[in-house]
Each structure stands twice: as C-alpha cells, then as structure tokens.
Amino acid sequence: SWFVGAVVCPFVDFFTRYGTRLAVLMLAFIASYRLTDFTMGVMANPFYLDVGYTLKEIAAVAKLFGLVSSIVGVLLGGLAVARLGTVKSLAFGSLAVIASNLMFMTLAFQDHPSITGLAIVVSADNLAMGIAGTALIAYLSSLTTASYTATQYALFSSMYALPGKLLMGTSGFVVDAVGYPWFFVYTSSLGIPALVLLYFIVRQKRNAA
C-alpha cells in the first residue's frame, strides 16, 4: 500500500491529467534536457588540465567567475520564466547551454592557456546552466499536483538526472576516440533532442486545446 501510494498513484495522476501521449513526451523531454550538462561537466576539469591550466588557476576562476555567473544565471532564469513563460525559458536555456559547450572548443584550439579565455568560457557555461536549471525547476514544479507535489517532483528530478549520469560514464571514451573539439560538438548535439521534444509538446498541447 505504501508503494502504491508513494510511487504508483503519483504516476497514475500524472498520466491521467495529461494523457498518455503528452505525458510520455514530457517524461522524455525531462530525461533529455540536461544530457549536455552531465556529459560535458564530468570532463571539465580533465579538459582544463589537459590544455595546460594549473589547479590553482582553475580553482581561482571557478570560485570567482563561476560562482558569480551561476548566481546571475539563476536570476536571469527566474526573470525569463516570469517574463517569457516556462516554455520559452526552457528553449532559451537549452540554446544557451549548447552555445556555451561549443565555446569550449576555443580553449582546445588555443596555443597557450589564457586565463581570460578560461574566465569567459567558465562564466558563459555557469550562466547558461543557471538559466537552464532555473527554467527546468519551474517546469517540473508546474507539472506537479497538490496531492502529490513532493513525490512527483522527486520522481521527475530522478528522471532528469538518471539518463545523464548513465551517459556521462562514456564521456572519457568519447574524448579518447575523437578528441576534445569533436567531444564538445557531441555534447552540444545532445541538447537538440530536448528542443525537438519541446516543440512536439507545445504542438500536442495546441492540438488538444
């Protein structure tokens, strides 16, 4: 009875409210939205070291520029949700993450490690993740119902994290196989399925309206 109430009922409620087709699209979108973050994030520090940055340089840039840009990203994400709505904020956040991942290629091609370049790329990456993360939290919150708010949010959170964590275990193999520049192309491309699914979600809702 505990399992039914804690796990089965929240999913039944979700599928009942949105219908099977739309619910499946939403769950697929949730599972794919942060794939870029997870697959790239696990290789960030090895990448910095491989291109010639020291641990002190990485820590200094991450603590200063990374922290500030993360806070700004969260604030911009909240502003975007309030002004543009959740769907447009999700799309904007996804595009920002894709663009920030491609920016890492500039560090891979530079002749000498540049602190300025590292600061710009780290700032852009944390800014994009702050926007995307805030938009996703707002979206997940909007999908819950009052009867199962905590349980549904926990299930949605686990769903978006699990695929990324499983896939990020292959990131090192991808780098060894194709090198860093193509690895960043690969991680950026992982953001495209979420955008496609978001489009179909919006279209499905319009057709059902």
Side-chain angles (χ1 to χ4, degrees):
S1 61
W2 174 86
F3 180 80
V4 171
V7 179
V8 177
C9 288
F11 266 107
V12 171
D13 171 78
F14 176 71
F15 277 88
T16 301
R17 283 187 293 119
Y18 292 104
T20 302
R21 184 175 180 180
L22 182 57
V24 169
L25 285 174
M26 288 176 169
L27 293 177
F29 169 76
I30 293 170
S32 62
Y33 190 70
R34 300 299 297 269
L35 289 179
T36 297
D37 293 348
F38 281 105
T39 52
M40 187 276 159
V42 70
M43 293 303 300
N45 283 337
F47 169 68
Y48 299 146
L49 293 172
D50 287 344
V51 296
Y53 293 104
T54 65
L55 289 174
K56 289 184 178 181
E57 291 172 335
I58 296 170
V61 170
K63 287 182 178 179
L64 177 59
F65 295 94
L67 178 61
V68 172
S69 57
S70 293
I71 295 173
V72 174
V74 171
L75 294 175
L76 289 178
L79 183 62
V81 171
R83 295 290 182 87
L84 303 177
T86 305
V87 172
K88 291 182 178 180
S89 299
L90 286 168
F92 177 65
S94 183
L95 291 172
V97 169
I98 291 173
S100 67
N101 263 243
L102 291 174
M103 289 180 64
F104 278 89
M105 295 176 65
T106 61
L107 299 182
F109 289 123
Q110 65 184 359
D111 295 328
H112 303 286
S114 167
I115 295 298
T116 301
L118 179 63
I120 293 173
V121 171
V122 168
S123 296
D125 184 51
N126 282 272
L127 184 70
M129 287 194 294
I131 295 172
T134 303
L136 182 61
I137 290 173
Y139 180 67
L140 297 183
S141 300
S142 71
L143 298 181
T144 62
T145 187
S147 302
Y148 305 106
T149 301
T151 305
Q152 287 179 338
Y153 188 85
L155 292 171
F156 293 151
S157 299
S158 299
M159 182 160 289
Y160 94 72
L162 181 60
K165 289 185 177 181
L166 292 175
L167 191 59
M168 74 182 188
T170 65
S171 293
F173 296 105
V174 176
V175 171
D176 290 339
V178 300
Y180 280 114
W182 282 108
F183 170 71
F184 296 127
V185 173
Y186 157 72
T187 57
S188 298
S189 68
L190 292 176
I192 297 176
L195 288 172
V196 174
L197 288 167
L198 184 61
Y199 166 77
F200 282 109
I201 289 172
V202 172
R203 193 174 74 170
Q204 179 71 15
K205 284 185 174 180
R206 287 177 179 175
N207 292 338

